[in-house]
Amino acid sequence: MCGRTFDGRRCRKRGTHFCTPRADHAQAFAEEICVHTKDRWARRPFILAPWQRDDIVRPLFGEVRWDDEAECYVRRFRIAWIEIARKNGKSELLAFVALYMLVGDCVESAEIYGCARDTDQAKLVFNVAARMVALSPVLSRRLRVVEHSARIIDEKTNGVYVVVPADALGNLGSNPSCVIFDEVLTQPNGDFWTTMRTGMGTRLEPMLIAATTAGNDPTSFAKAEHDECVKIADDPARAPHRFVYLRNLPEDADPWDEANWHFSNPALGDFLSLAALREEALEARNDPARENAFRQYRLNQWVSQSSRWMPMHLYTACTGTDTTPADRLRELHAGRTAWGGLDLASKMDMTAWCLIIPNGIDGHPSALWRFWLPETAVGFLDERTEGRFGRWAEQGWITVTDGEVIDYDVIEDDITADTGLIRVADISYDEWSGEPVRQRLERRTGVPMYPVAQTYKGMTHGMTELMTLTRSRGWSHHGNPVAEFCFDAVEVRHPPGEPDLIRPDKPERGKTGTRIDAVPTAAMAVGGWKLRGAKVKKPNRMVVLG
């Protein structure tokens, strides 16, 4: 017989079963000892929502099995996977589990590890747990929080809850009784997971609990675990020691139907605002890049890392004065101040140059491009784009150089001519561009050049500013057909767990006719203008105060 008791109730069941006293004990610890820590709920008892109570906490801690080696009943689940959309209380739930496993599980020398990609990520749950301790009269008397080393210590049992980032893996000699894994989607591989899991082998009732949102990399460790959990959810006998709670909106469901949102957001209407989701959904419907983020973080759908970026109806609305040929546009902007963006591609591909002129002919910024291609590349691209690049070359939108490789002398001559006609303040360029070309351009034009890393950090600012201009119809691209082709084709990527960072996704140039060169050059030029064009110049005269 199980024999577990709590509040005068004794479990008399045998074999694998649901132990009500165990489940009651965990629920009571949450609701009678733990407290909320944020906003209008702060200091109130941590009353579990029905879905938290009945779908996660009670089965996770209440399901037990007989252990022949230990000759006692133990928790059935050793690994738990909780996958729900963001802002549904994952951090608070994990903080409760950490504290319960530290003091409520009655384990001597318990070791609770809060794991994540880095210290900052791991401390998100720790900070909630530390605040729970500070606000709970019971926990604050029992536990000691050491902020500088991110530890919570139970001196009565010699237990500890400590933060462990993935980069500390080599120094780890742990014997976890509980592992709290936050946002597994950010883990580059399964090494950290495997190390922590195998370290639990000597514990009687260990628990590895992971809470995450869907990711955007189909080859990632998190996606492999997700796929396995889907199989376990369909057939629990596949891995009876694993607990699975998945709330991913099916791919064929209408993402804009509010009736579907509750499935991936069980806290919706409770502590998650419906109004906030409506606002994000409205923005996502008008922005393909935001749609991917909305699907991933709000609907908990696994998506591709790449997503369409530019809503072309907004781009078309920014055409402005449609003037041809291209040389005529440069003449109309003669003498005006501009910022440049340069992407020197390989010698066998397209190179792009963009000028952003804040005081454009339409009363707001204008974008002017030049594109160059070696002769042999035109044939390759024409075969894949129904002859578009050849037509654009004939119309003067692309300069074709003789031979199989690009002629850098032609590029340098054209850019030098532009800087003589238009007052170019500075040029932002791809830092991987050819250094000799950069040196010659600076020497010939006298224009300072600034390298821009083609990374999330390097490209986010310019891409964001460019989209802001597009949404406000605050610039003119003047109908450049090559640029339109690039903007229509460009896809973007976000790093795992960072929806606000962005960079263009480069196409496989040797296999496809897709080209996006107009986009990064425009983003670099806009970024340079916004970063350095708004600086207030110091007066060159002396002012005497007396």
Side-chain angles (χ1 to χ4, degrees), residues 107-137:
V107 173
E108 287 292 325
S109 297
E111 296 179 27
I112 317 300
Y113 291 97
C115 302
R117 174 192 59 194
D118 52 39
T119 301
D120 289 340
Q121 178 70 46
K123 288 185 72 173
L124 293 178
V125 174
F126 172 84
N127 290 337
V128 176
R131 186 61 177 162
M132 276 189 180
V133 172
L135 297 181
S136 168

Side-chain angles (χ1 to χ4, degrees), residues 452-502:
V452 178
Q454 305 298 290
T455 60
Y456 295 113
K457 184 177 180 180
M459 295 302 294
T460 292
H461 175 70
M463 296 283 286
T464 302
E465 292 289 350
L466 189 56
M467 180 59 76
T468 299
L469 288 173
T470 303
R471 291 189 176 285
S472 62
R473 298 187 181 183
W475 69 304
S476 295
H477 52 73
H478 304 293
N480 186 308
V482 186
E484 181 180 3
F485 175 83
C486 294
F487 276 88
D488 190 31
V490 69
E491 294 184 335
V492 295
R493 286 177 178 256
H494 304 273
E498 300 286 350
D500 294 329
L501 298 181
I502 188 175

Side-chain angles (χ1 to χ4, degrees), residues 181-239:
F181 244 107
D182 190 22
E183 295 297 8
V184 185
L185 81 157
T186 64
Q187 291 296 317
N189 53 55
D191 292 348
F192 197 19
W193 175 280
T194 301
T195 297
M196 300 307 294
R197 179 180 178 181
T198 54
M200 301 190 308
T202 62
R203 295 287 187 171
L204 179 63
E205 292 186 287
M207 180 179 293
L208 188 158
I209 180 169
T212 189
T213 305
N216 61 3
D217 184 354
T219 65
S220 65
F221 164 74
K223 183 58 163 63
E225 284 295 312
H226 164 83
D227 291 344
E228 177 63 18
C229 287
V230 170
K231 296 175 183 177
I232 294 171
D234 291 338
D235 179 17
R238 180 183 179 91

